Amino acid sequence: MTTEVPQTRESHHWAVGAHLSALVALFGIPSLLGPLAVLLLRRGDPYVEAQAKEALNFNISFLIYGLVAAVSVLLLVGFIALPLVIVTWFVLVIVAAAAASRGEDYEYPFTIRFIN
């Protein structure tokens, strides 16, 4: 994902916000609402839009992974899978925010591309 438009500090801040806004999940709010809000608010900025879509795709993917892991608790596999999904989600959100603060185009691993 290459952005050819010059980026401003404001773009970097919004891109960081797109990634970190997923942490609202720690308060019981669905993690995809934050990146979706940034995407809708900053549609005119190509860098922010690309990073918000990336964060949104990642959070949708990890919501699915988390639901599958939660259901798999019934099979006892989820007791390992669910914490692994949660820790991986948290670490990757922080890594993506750090990359966005440097103006890098970050692509999350393990992400299903729902929104292009």
Side-chain angles (χ1 to χ4, degrees):
M1 189 178 351
T2 304
T3 306
E4 298 188 18
V5 176
Q7 303 163 14
T8 63
R9 287 182 64 80
E10 183 180 7
S11 293
H12 295 182
H13 292 247
W14 278 97
V16 169
H19 294 292
L20 289 181
S21 65
L23 296 178
V24 299
L26 299 175
F27 301 104
I29 300 169
S31 63
L32 40 110
L33 292 183
L36 178 61
V38 172
L39 176 62
L40 295 175
L41 289 171
R42 302 299 293 185
R43 269 227 183 265
D45 186 327
Y47 178 67
V48 175
E49 186 175 342
Q51 290 302 295
K53 285 180 181 177
E54 185 68 22
L56 186 57
N57 281 325
F58 172 74
N59 283 286
I60 293 170
S61 299
F62 266 71
L63 177 63
I64 293 168
Y65 303 151
L67 291 173
V68 169
V71 170
S72 69
V73 166
L74 299 172
L75 303 173
L76 303 177
V77 175
F79 287 111
I80 295 170
L82 188 57
L84 186 61
V85 167
I86 292 169
V87 169
T88 302
W89 169 81
F90 184 78
V91 168
L92 289 176
V93 165
I94 301 301
V95 168
S101 73
R102 294 186 300 270
E104 298 173 7
D105 291 325
Y106 185 78
E107 289 188 20
Y108 287 97
F110 316 116
T111 301
I112 304 166
R113 308 281 175 221
F114 294 102
I115 300 166
N116 290 323

